[in-house]
Amino acid sequence: MPENRSSIIRRTTSWSGRLLTAALALPLATALTTAPAVAAPASPTGAVLAGQTASVTLGDSYISGEAGRWKGNSVASGGSRAGTDRAWSGSAADPARIYGATHASGCDRSDVAEVRSAPTVAQVQINLACSGAVAENVFRAAAGGRSFKGEAPQADQLAAVAKQYSVKLVTLSIGGNDLGFADVIETCVADYLVWFSYCHDDQQGEVDARMPAAMAGVGKAVDEIRTVMAAAGYGSGDYRIVLQSYPSPIPRAAEIRYPESGWSRSDTGGCPLWNGDADWARDSLVPQISRSLAGVAAAKGVQFLDLADTLQGREVCSKATRQATSTSAPSATTSEWARFLDGGLNTSQGALQESLHPNYYGQLALGRCLTLLFARPSGNWACRNTAGQDAGGMYLTAK
């Protein structure tokens, strides 16, 4: 490595603290509040009439729309960041342009969140997911659920929605925060930047220890959705529940375009991981979580959507992609589809909690996956992209 350990510690002090409190945008420190009165969320297109069909999403940041602000990545130092910052108004950046009122709370429901990017599934698209949520934030309050970021538990919000609309699809993404995604990423980045050691050898055990309780929580979240829908008068054939897994935002080592040593992985690429840890995350951790979620889906009799390979070749630092520059605009076919880890030289770009989530392009792709799945009334499916194509090139394969 080009610098000794002391200089590395000094160099990283200014931003590693931010990373340790909000890495992977799955914030764990939140205030529990008294649940507000539950009201059906407004349709993103305005007033609606009762009885319209609805598609609803519940869960955490990977379905709330976190990072939808960004069209690819760039280390450009100002303005629209080489066209990647959709929040740029021409004179300033206003994240509320993308996340609306939920930017203030930190739920970060973007205008291109998965449900919003699948408009043909139902007449109304309703996003109840919130960045940082754990399974308990989905449960009804009467069943031990807890309010989060000033909002009632998501199942209680769903109860109000189910009475106002004809819900046809409920899609759930949950479990990542229960497994401690933030802890894993914090450890792996610190091991790369400071300690010169691998993280996967100890973090695998941490994930294994958390897995049973996390999956039990996911299963209960599914049960809570069913309870709410039955109480609203829905029969089992009136709507569908889909449980989805998580896409990997990091490529395997052989597909990373920056060298393992030096500073380009952190300061430019935003993927500060050792090769061994990148391979573990991409080919072991993410598939393990997908298999576990698939097991919950099978046990609960709901459809499963496997997203583990959805960003293949479009991940942060992937050799098949490039960053936008002042002379090379962002593009759905060449840009990364996930937000880089906002650190090093990039600390002034947006919020750290957006890091390592599907960005604008990735969320359009996830919306396409959901659209394709809705046309498959049964079976479990994996969604993948076609190299060199935009979200229109997404396709399903049977699991």
Side-chain angles (χ1 to χ4, degrees):
M1 300 289 270
E3 300 182 54
N4 63 36
R5 177 169 169 166
S6 296
S7 66
I8 290 172
I9 293 174
R10 289 195 301 272
R11 182 183 175 109
T12 58
T13 296
S14 63
W15 68 276
S16 61
R18 294 175 65 222
L19 177 65
L20 295 178
T21 58
L24 194 54
L26 298 172
L28 301 180
T30 59
L32 297 181
T33 61
T34 300
V38 179
S43 164
T45 56
V48 297
L49 298 175
Q52 286 186 298
T53 61
S55 174
V56 186
T57 48
L58 290 81
D60 55 27
S61 55
Y62 274 79
I63 201 168
S64 76
E66 188 71 81
R69 169 179 174 176
W70 302 96
K71 296 178 71 172
N73 298 307
S74 173
V75 293
S77 59
S80 67
R81 305 287 180 175
T84 61
D85 188 359
R86 300 173 57 235
W88 183 250
S89 67
S91 59
D94 179 11
R97 290 163 56 95
I98 308 303
Y99 302 119
T102 67
H103 172 64
S105 70
C107 280
D108 282 359
R109 299 179 183 121
S110 74
D111 57 350
V112 289
E114 184 175 324
V115 69
R116 297 285 297 276
S117 293
T120 62
V121 169
Q123 293 168 295
V124 180
Q125 300 82 45
I126 298 175
N127 186 356
L128 301 179
C130 184
S131 184
V134 296
E136 283 187 345
N137 303 131
V138 177
F139 308 162
R140 292 168 300 137
R146 299 192 295 178
S147 58
F148 186 58
K149 296 185 178 179
E151 298 185 358
Q154 293 176 29
D156 288 330
Q157 296 182 57
L158 175 63
V161 171
K163 293 176 182 177
Q164 183 173 356
Y165 304 104
S166 176
V167 175
K168 295 300 180 185
L169 180 66
V170 179
T171 307
L172 175 66
S173 169
I174 203 69
N177 291 328
D178 301 83
L179 285 169
F181 273 1
D183 294 339
V184 172
I185 295 302
E186 289 165 10
T187 301
C188 291
V189 171
D191 282 354
Y192 179 81
L193 293 172
V194 180
W195 304 121
F196 302 123
S197 62
Y198 289 121
C199 69
H200 65 267
D201 47 1
D202 60 294
Q203 288 305 297
Q204 182 64 64
E206 294 291 332
V207 171
D208 290 344
R210 294 170 179 151
M211 189 66 75
M215 293 304 106
V218 175
K220 182 175 177 179
V222 173
D223 291 340
E224 290 290 284
I225 292 170
R226 282 207 171 107
T227 297
V228 163
M229 298 300 287
Y234 289 72
S236 60
D238 294 333
Y239 71 102
R240 288 156 59 188
I241 299 175
V242 170
L243 176 63
Q244 65 183 40
S245 65
Y246 296 90
S248 174
I250 297 294
R252 51 186 60 88
E255 298 167 0
I256 297 177
R257 64 177 179 266
Y258 301 99
E260 186 174 28
S261 62
W263 289 108
S264 57
R265 280 197 184 183
S266 62
D267 286 353
T268 304
C271 56
L273 296 174
W274 294 113
N275 285 345
D277 290 337
D279 282 342
W280 168 71
R282 178 66 182 84
D283 290 330
S284 181
L285 177 62
V286 171
Q288 177 189 8
I289 295 171
S290 289
R291 289 192 301 271
S292 298
L293 289 168
V296 174
K300 297 299 180 180
V302 300
Q303 273 191 294
F304 178 64
L305 177 59
D306 187 358
L307 300 177
D309 297 323
T310 299
L311 301 181
Q312 170 60 37
R314 317 298 186 105
E315 308 98 331
V316 177
C317 297
S318 171
K319 288 179 179 178
T321 62
R322 59 168 175 77
Q323 290 187 350
T325 67
S326 59
T327 58
S328 181
S331 163
T333 59
T334 61
S335 293
E336 295 159 329
W337 286 10
R339 181 67 176 155
F340 58 18
L341 186 62
D342 197 5
L345 299 180
N346 311 321
T347 52
S348 62
Q349 289 198 26
L352 185 59
Q353 73 174 45
E354 296 171 307
S355 301
L356 301 184
H357 285 76
N359 61 20
Y360 170 82
Y361 297 124
Q363 290 180 29
L364 293 180
L366 294 177
R368 180 59 181 164
C369 293
L370 190 61
T371 300
L372 293 171
L373 184 72
F374 188 68
R376 308 274 188 162
S378 62
N380 300 320
W381 305 86
C383 194
R384 296 184 171 87
N385 74 80
T386 302
Q389 295 188 25
D390 61 14
M394 305 307 294
Y395 64 96
L396 299 179
T397 58
K399 288 291 292 179

